[in-house]
């Protein structure tokens, strides 16, 4: 199942991107147990949430806040940048947590209706925990 989740982090398309995704998936699938430390790569974020205005499709992450939770565990989503000049770029909010569970992800922004996704399973998959790349389409508040 590693390959199913790695594709979220491959940028681009075409043959080169697909070959890179397959090679990375095979390397990570072979890595299990104590050999995981040899790979040297950090755990990818458990959740990356691309926040967009549902009406326009434009990035809407600037000023948005959110969290992930599983039972009593809760972690805030963090912005990829704190530079106001980046507000028009499509940057995700992310969660760096590293624990297995079944999560709810919620995003809120003034002037918009709250968005959430539930039942998102994070589990050990080879060397890393599974990761989710989500798109939160925020509808304007009435």
């Amino acid at each position: 199942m590693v390959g199913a989740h790695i594709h979220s982090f491959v940028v681009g398309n075409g043959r080169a991107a697909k070959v890179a995704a397959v090679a990375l998936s095979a390397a990570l699938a072979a890595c299990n147990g104590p050999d995981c430390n040899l790979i040297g790569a950090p755990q990818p974020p458990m959740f990356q949430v691309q926040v967009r205005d549902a009406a326009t499709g434009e990035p809407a992450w600037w000023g948005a806040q959110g969290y992930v939770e599983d039972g009593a565990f809760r972690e805030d989503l963090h912005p990829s940048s704190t530079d106001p000049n980046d507000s028009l770029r499509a940057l995700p909010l992310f969660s760096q947590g590293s624990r297995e569970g079944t999560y709810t992800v919620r995003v809120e922004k003034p002037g918009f209706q709250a968005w959430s996704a539930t039942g998102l399973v994070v589990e050990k998959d080879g060397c890393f925990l599974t990761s989710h790349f989500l798109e939160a389409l925020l509808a304007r508040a009435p």
Side-chain angles (χ1 to χ4, degrees):
M1 294 297 267
V2 172
H5 302 288
I6 293 302
H7 292 286
S8 297
F9 297 99
V10 174
V11 177
N13 56 21
R15 182 168 165 66
K18 291 175 185 170
V19 169
V22 170
L24 181 57
S25 296
L28 293 177
C31 168
N32 205 349
D35 292 334
C36 287
N37 294 330
L38 299 177
I39 201 166
Q43 164 69 43
M46 286 192 320
F47 296 98
Q48 291 189 63
V49 185
Q50 191 72 254
V51 183
R52 295 190 177 277
D53 181 318
T56 66
E58 294 295 317
W61 66 273
W62 188 259
Q65 297 181 342
Y67 60 86
V68 301
E69 72 180 354
D70 172 34
F73 174 82
R74 181 174 165 151
E75 180 189 355
D76 289 336
L77 291 170
H78 307 283
S80 297
S81 173
T82 56
D83 183 347
N85 294 318
D86 287 334
S87 64
L88 298 178
R89 294 178 52 208
L91 299 174
L93 300 177
F94 69 93
S95 164
Q96 194 56 55
S98 58
R99 64 186 286 282
E100 294 178 279
T102 302
Y103 287 84
T104 294
V105 177
R106 184 172 175 92
V107 175
E108 299 171 345
K109 181 176 178 170
F112 292 85
Q113 296 177 16
W115 175 93
S116 65
T118 60
L120 301 167
V121 176
V122 173
E123 59 192 2
K124 185 94 168 142
D125 193 6
C127 294
F128 301 109
L129 295 174
T130 53
S131 298
H132 296 274
F133 188 87
L134 307 170
E135 183 173 52
L137 297 174
L138 301 183
R140 297 260 176 193

